[in-house]
């Protein structure tokens, strides 16, 4: 096929790549050593390269020729030859876990720099051209967080907005929302942007020892949207996991009898909206988008009724019959919540406060709290992406992978959230990764651009490829076939040529 002439830049992807080190194996697919890969688009040609993230974790494991650093689903233990004192000390030092810097989930842009990110307090700077691993940044040196999301947001000024969990700091467990500026003042040229990290606000966890797990959050023009779900980390279990010989993942619990709470933080006043908004128990990894309309906040998420997704990816379940045998017990569903921030305070108890045309409801309860029920936009999609120029604004299109009952995606989909119509791309034996939308620089419409996705092929006779679709029609424009083994990855970003200081090939 042929690529549009305007498509110039680098698609960077990140995900787990190595699951065996020496005689040791990780338990979970999300634990594997981070493998970065890139597709560079230059004058109609595509160049591919991949490289393991040379994290401290990677270097320690390779040097020892065994897994020596614990990951979320795999606990690593000291060398059996160590004496009893060294072992005892090791057990004690693990009560506050020293987390891994195996940043395998996403890529983040800060100013002119790019970082591989995971969900711990560590991120690693990388060179987007060479995929070389550069310095390690520890968020906890700049703000009190032990965990942070790998799905930050970017505002129009280039600031990064992110949030992390601060575990039992000064007797409180809280969710911290912070901002990293894109640059530092001229006189401080040698300092990093992180020195100017600013905490915008914190939200107290509803439980001191059971903070909610979250993978992403939402943002509108004036608000930050945080969903506190009853899928939680048990801190006591976490502190004793090492001694009990279990993984940190086993410290996650889902309480389906509990409520899911919505928090809205005003970005101008940095204060949380005082009304209590909630819905039924759900598990959520990915926010799609959020925006404001006529005194309401509208936000779309991909939600589950249980936490079976994580368990699917234990490597013992990833056998050759995985596609046929593994079934999700809860289908991912794209849900739209419509939350009335401005409503008639004298409205009757039991009345629906939503004034927008939607089947979503927000019902006033006796105690003044508001119970929200979503509208279902569609079922069976995951890894959602939008045209990021519409982030925080009213959007029409979502690009996603389609999963149905197996956790492995088989199609790429485009959903029109207004009409609920869908377009698909699929081919036999093809497993697509998260689709990334790249806008045409001269775009007049939201879907004027291309969708890029890496395709892993389960047929050994066929090679993997990068697929380029016309975002409007979903017709294939071209594919770049790669003669190496390609891994299923998680997330990534497209860096336009102007932002990447591209070196000449």
């Amino acid at each position: 096929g042929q690529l549009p002439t305007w498509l110039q830049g680098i698609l960077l992807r990140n995900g787990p790549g190595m699951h065996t080190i020496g005689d040791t194996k990780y338990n979970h697919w999300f634990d594997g050593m981070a493998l970065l890969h890139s597709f560079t688009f230059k004058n109609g040609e595509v160049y591919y390269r991949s490289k393991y993230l040379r994290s401290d974790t990677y270097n320690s494991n390779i040097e020892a020729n065994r897994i020596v650093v614990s990951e979320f689903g795999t606990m690593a233990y000291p060398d059996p030859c160590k004496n009893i004192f060294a072992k005892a000390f090791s057990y004690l030092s693990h009560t506050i876990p020293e987390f891994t810097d195996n940043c395998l989930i996403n890529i983040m842009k800060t100013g002119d720099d790019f970082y591989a990110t995971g969900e711990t307090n560590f991120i690693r700077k990388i060179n987007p051209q060479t995929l070389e691993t550069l310095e390690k940044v520890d968020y906890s040196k700049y703000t009190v967080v032990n965990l942070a999301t790998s799905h930050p947001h970017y505002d129009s000024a280039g600031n990064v907005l992110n949030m992390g969990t601060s575990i039992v700091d000064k007797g409180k467990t809280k969710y911290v929302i912070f901002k990293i500026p894109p640059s530092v003042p001229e006189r401080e040229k040698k300092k990093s942007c992180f020195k100017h990290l600013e905490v915008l606000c914190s939200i107290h966890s509803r439980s001191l020892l059971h903070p909610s797990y979250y993978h992403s959050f939402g943002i509108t023009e004036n608000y930050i949207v945080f969903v506190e779900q009853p899928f939680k980390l048990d801190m006591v279990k976490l502190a004793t996991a090492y001694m009990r010989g279990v993984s940190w993942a086993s410290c996650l619990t889902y309480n389906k009898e509990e409520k899911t709470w919505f928090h809205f933080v005003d970005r101008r006043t940095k204060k949380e909206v005082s009304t209590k908004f909630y819905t039924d128990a759900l598990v959520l990894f990915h926010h799609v988008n959020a925006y404001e309309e006529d005194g309401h906040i509208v936000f779309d998420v991909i939600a589950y009724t249980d936490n079976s997704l994580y368990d699917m990816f234990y490597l013992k379940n990833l056998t050759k019959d995985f596609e046929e045998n593994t079934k999700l017990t809860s289908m991912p569903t794209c849900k739209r919540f419509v939350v009335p921030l401005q409503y008639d305070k004298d409205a009757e108890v039991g009345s629906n406060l939503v004034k927008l045309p939607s089947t979503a409801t927000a019902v006033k309860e006796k105690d003044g709290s508001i119970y929200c029920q979503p509208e279902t936009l569609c079922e069976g999609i995951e890894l959602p992406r939008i045209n990021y120029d519409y982030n925080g604004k009213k959007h029409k299109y979502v690009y996603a992978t389609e999963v149905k009952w197996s956790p492995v995606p088989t199609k790429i989909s485009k959903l029109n959230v207004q009409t609920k119509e869908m377009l698909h791309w699929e081919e036999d034996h093809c497993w697509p990764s998260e689709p990334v939308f790249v806008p045409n620089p001269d775009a007049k419409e939201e879907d004027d651009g291309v969708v890029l996705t890496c395709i892993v092929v389960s047929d050994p006779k066929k090679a993997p490829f990068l697929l380029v679709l016309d975002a409007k029609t979903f017709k294939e424009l071209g594919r770049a076939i790669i003669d190496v083994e390609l891994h299923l990855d998680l997330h990534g970003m497209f860096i336009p040529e102007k932002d990447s200081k591209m070196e000449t090939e």
Side-chain angles (χ1 to χ4, degrees):
Q2 239 181 339
L3 305 182
T5 50
W6 57 261
L7 185 59
Q8 308 277 338
I10 300 172
L11 174 69
L12 266 186
R13 307 283 307 161
N14 194 356
M18 186 191 298
H19 288 91
T20 306
I21 300 159
D23 298 332
T24 56
K25 253 195 175 82
Y26 287 111
N27 297 331
H28 201 279
W29 184 62
F30 295 162
D31 293 343
M33 294 284 91
L35 180 63
L36 300 164
H37 56 152
S38 70
F39 296 88
T40 302
F41 299 86
K42 209 171 171 65
N43 307 329
E45 300 281 2
V46 184
Y47 302 86
Y48 174 77
R49 64 163 36 132
S50 67
K51 199 169 197 172
Y52 282 103
L53 183 76
R54 299 301 200 264
S55 58
D56 294 356
T57 296
Y58 175 93
N59 293 333
S60 304
N61 287 344
I62 296 296
E63 193 182 335
N65 196 31
R66 58 190 276 272
I67 297 167
V68 292
V69 181
S70 300
E71 296 294 335
F72 205 57
T74 309
M75 198 54 93
Y77 287 93
D79 191 338
C81 313
K82 278 192 176 169
N83 68 32
I84 190 83
F85 292 108
K87 279 187 182 169
F89 179 75
S90 187
Y91 281 113
L92 286 170
S93 66
H94 274 75
T95 41
I96 300 282
E98 164 70 11
F99 287 123
T100 174
D101 69 336
N102 176 34
C103 304
L104 81 160
I105 300 178
N106 206 352
I107 307 290
M108 174 175 100
K109 181 180 195 295
T110 303
D112 294 330
D113 298 328
F114 295 88
Y115 293 84
T117 65
E119 294 196 314
T120 72
N121 49 307
F122 296 116
I123 57 176
R124 290 299 305 227
K125 188 172 169 180
I126 55 169
N127 176 326
Q129 278 87 20
T130 62
L131 303 185
E132 196 186 340
T133 305
L134 305 167
E135 61 262 30
K136 171 167 149 179
V137 173
D138 179 354
Y139 279 137
S140 66
K141 286 200 166 72
Y142 307 102
T143 179
V144 196
V145 294
N146 310 78
L147 304 159
T149 93
S150 56
H151 286 283
H153 285 280
Y154 307 92
D155 67 15
S156 53
N159 296 298
V160 175
L161 297 172
N162 204 356
M163 64 183 292
T165 301
S166 172
I167 298 168
V168 201
D169 171 48
K170 300 187 180 77
K172 290 188 172 67
T173 295
K174 51 188 189 270
Y175 312 109
V176 179
I177 297 161
F178 57 90
K179 179 170 95 175
I180 307 159
S183 57
V184 295
E186 266 305 311
R187 62 181 187 281
E188 298 181 32
K189 263 294 166 243
K190 288 200 167 61
K191 286 191 177 169
S192 86
C193 299
F194 296 95
K195 286 258 191 317
H196 291 270
L197 182 148
E198 177 195 347
V199 170
L200 296 180
C201 91
S202 16
I203 297 165
H204 289 300
S205 166
R206 293 188 77 81
S207 159
L208 178 69
L209 295 174
H210 298 88
S212 176
Y213 168 80
Y214 53 99
H215 181 76
S216 61
F217 62 103
I219 180 175
T220 71
E221 208 176 323
N222 299 300
Y223 293 91
I224 283 160
V225 179
F226 170 56
V227 177
E228 190 175 15
Q229 58 188 1
F231 185 33
K232 298 177 175 182
L233 266 171
D234 183 321
M235 288 301 137
V236 177
K237 282 185 172 173
L238 198 74
T240 57
Y242 191 78
M243 289 178 234
R244 292 182 298 118
V246 298
S247 72
W248 292 322
S250 69
C251 309
L252 274 172
T253 48
Y254 176 55
N255 310 317
K256 58 178 185 293
E257 282 74 43
E258 287 189 23
K259 294 169 180 170
T260 298
W261 295 92
F262 299 155
H263 301 272
F264 303 100
V265 174
D266 188 318
R267 290 169 62 181
R268 295 152 306 184
T269 64
K270 301 176 184 173
K271 297 266 189 298
E272 195 182 337
V273 172
S274 59
T275 310
K276 300 268 180 283
F277 297 99
Y278 74 95
T279 188
D280 302 321
L282 55 77
V283 171
L284 135 75
F285 300 98
H286 295 116
H287 277 253
V288 181
N289 193 21
Y291 60 88
E292 295 159 47
E293 187 174 3
D294 295 339
H296 300 70
I297 285 182
V298 179
F299 68 95
D300 299 350
V301 296
I302 308 289
Y304 296 81
T305 53
D306 66 26
N307 60 325
S308 64
L309 181 76
Y310 187 85
D311 297 338
M312 296 276 149
F313 288 98
Y314 276 101
L315 293 180
K316 64 176 188 287
N317 300 332
L318 300 183
T319 58
K320 62 181 191 307
D321 307 322
F322 179 67
E323 256 183 303
E324 286 72 46
N325 296 351
T326 313
K327 294 283 175 272
L328 286 163
T329 52
S330 162
M331 173 94 89
T333 306
C334 185
K335 297 186 178 213
R336 166 163 290 185
F337 287 94
V338 181
V339 179
L341 285 193
Q342 294 162 18
Y343 61 91
D344 176 5
K345 300 291 183 267
D346 302 325
E348 278 178 45
V349 169
S351 61
N352 175 20
L353 306 172
V354 173
K355 297 287 177 273
L356 297 179
S358 170
T359 55
T361 58
V363 173
K364 187 175 173 183
E365 307 270 281
K366 271 202 190 73
D367 62 1
S369 64
I370 294 174
Y371 171 54
C372 303
Q373 280 285 61
E375 172 182 349
T376 295
L377 297 180
C378 93
E379 287 201 315
I381 63 168
E382 244 305 358
L383 301 173
R385 295 290 291 256
I386 60 166
N387 175 343
Y388 201 78
D389 293 341
Y390 287 76
N391 191 53
K393 304 181 183 122
K394 189 170 182 172
H395 67 292
K396 194 170 174 182
Y397 302 109
V398 180
Y399 307 95
T401 56
E402 201 163 318
V403 290
K404 293 303 177 215
W405 289 104
S406 160
V408 174
T410 52
K411 296 179 187 176
I412 292 288
S413 303
K414 174 189 181 180
L415 167 68
N416 179 330
V417 294
Q418 291 169 12
T419 64
K420 300 188 182 171
E421 290 170 294
M422 290 181 86
L423 295 174
H424 308 279
W425 177 94
E426 69 176 316
E427 210 171 275
D428 288 349
H429 311 296
C430 286
W431 294 359
S433 68
E434 169 199 59
V436 174
F437 175 85
V438 183
N440 181 334
D442 303 321
K444 300 279 184 288
E445 291 172 291
E446 184 185 336
D447 60 350
D448 190 354
V450 295
V451 169
L452 307 176
T453 175
C454 306
I455 308 283
V456 172
V457 182
S458 58
D459 177 349
K461 293 192 278 296
K462 291 190 174 150
F465 55 95
L466 173 93
L467 178 69
V468 183
L469 297 176
D470 179 319
K472 212 180 258 311
T473 62
F474 245 48
K475 295 278 181 282
E476 184 176 327
L477 295 174
R479 58 176 72 182
I481 293 164
I482 311 152
D483 57 357
V484 295
E485 209 175 281
L486 198 62
H487 288 264
L488 266 183
D489 57 33
L490 291 167
H491 299 291
M493 72 168 11
F494 183 79
I495 308 166
E497 188 175 27
K498 64 178 183 353
D499 297 343
S500 68
K501 305 187 191 140
M502 274 165 75
E503 296 161 5
T504 48
E505 288 294 338

